[in-house]
Amino acid sequence: MLLAVVRHAESTENATKHSGFYQDPRPWTGRAAHALSRDLVGLTPRGFRQCQWLRTAIEEFVGRDPYVCSSPYRRALDTVELVLPGRDTDVTELLCEQHYGDATYMTKRQLFALHPDTERDRQTRKHLWTPPGEGGESLAGGVMRRAVAFVEGLDGAASAVVAMTHHTTILALRSVLERRPVTELVEEARVRKTPNAGVLVYERRGGGFHQVDTAEPDC
């Protein structure tokens, strides 16, 4: 079995993160900010070009007829629709981005002013940081549990699977698939994240998954 873990193409949030979405003071409630992130944030023109590249890359890695799973976030679903148009897609909460609760789109200054008890974990133990408010989940807790459930659900799956997801969820999936501490992956991500439209390809053999390829767009 082949598994292609894909980060969605560039979104408007990725492109204008510090000039548009993060405002101080934030003009939205935490719930409204999360709804904006989940349901409204779409792709940029660069993201559309990355999807054109992904069409070819995905076919080269896993063939023309993979089983497709996706996060329900709009930027992930838009990427799937452009890369694999008309394809039936298993939309699953297991591939959601980390839920940042009341901290969604909140600047660090405002976050630490309102929730000073979160500063230590956010600054030095990011994998343990649990965002305040309804739905907030840590990488080491909620996101990892979802990643484990997703990988376990691949038993008996199709011979080729595409998982369209997000940066933080990819850290958790890599921890499970590569059997590496999530802390190690967080430190690597401080230097360089999996880029938008980046692809990580794994093959299941010998009772585990082994990374066999990786690619990223040149646009």
Side-chain angles (χ1 to χ4, degrees):
M1 175 198 158
L2 290 173
L3 169 65
V5 176
V6 186
R7 187 180 178 194
H8 63 81
E10 184 184 77
S11 70
T12 54
E13 178 186 331
N14 298 136
T16 62
K17 185 173 183 177
H18 298 293
S19 60
F21 287 87
Y22 286 81
Q23 300 178 34
D24 194 350
R26 186 185 61 186
W28 314 290
T29 64
R31 180 174 292 185
H34 178 68
L36 173 65
S37 174
R38 180 181 173 114
D39 301 325
L40 297 180
V41 170
L43 303 181
T44 64
R46 183 186 184 196
F48 287 114
R49 293 193 298 272
Q50 290 174 342
C51 288
Q52 292 177 320
W53 173 85
L54 268 174
R55 272 199 198 191
T56 300
I58 292 296
E59 184 173 331
E60 289 178 353
F61 285 132
V62 297
R64 296 185 177 182
D65 193 30
Y67 185 81
V68 183
C69 303
S70 176
S71 154
Y73 281 57
R74 179 184 164 188
R75 50 194 181 271
L77 293 173
D78 285 355
T79 304
V80 168
E81 182 57 33
L82 290 171
V83 175
L84 298 158
R87 189 66 54 90
D88 289 339
T89 302
D90 181 2
V91 180
T92 172
E93 299 282 332
L94 297 179
L95 293 176
C96 278
E97 175 61 289
Q98 181 178 358
H99 196 316
Y100 292 101
D102 285 349
T104 306
Y105 296 147
M106 190 177 283
T107 65
K108 289 183 182 178
R109 189 214 65 80
Q110 187 177 14
L111 172 65
F112 299 151
L114 294 175
H115 305 280
D117 56 313
T118 70
E119 182 169 3
R120 179 170 179 265
D121 280 350
R122 179 65 179 81
Q123 298 285 47
T124 63
R125 302 189 299 175
K126 193 173 181 181
H127 63 296
L128 296 177
W129 174 60
T130 302
E134 182 180 357
E137 61 178 356
S138 69
L139 169 56
V143 185
M144 280 296 298
R145 283 193 292 272
R146 289 192 280 104
V148 169
F150 178 79
V151 174
E152 289 179 345
L154 293 173
D155 289 340
S159 59
V161 176
V162 172
M164 188 67 64
T165 186
H166 308 264
H167 163 65
T168 308
T169 310
I170 287 175
L171 294 179
L173 287 170
R174 289 185 63 193
S175 179
V176 178
L177 293 166
E178 300 172 20
R179 300 177 182 177
R180 295 174 61 193
V182 72
T183 50
E184 184 177 296
L185 294 163
V186 168
E187 287 305 309
E188 289 181 7
R190 292 183 188 275
V191 178
R192 190 172 189 274
K193 297 180 179 180
T194 299
N196 289 113
V199 184
L200 303 170
V201 185
Y202 298 86
E203 182 179 17
R204 182 159 58 188
R205 62 176 186 266
F209 284 87
H210 304 269
Q211 187 174 336
V212 294
D213 220 330
T214 182
E216 59 184 68
D218 55 4
C219 55

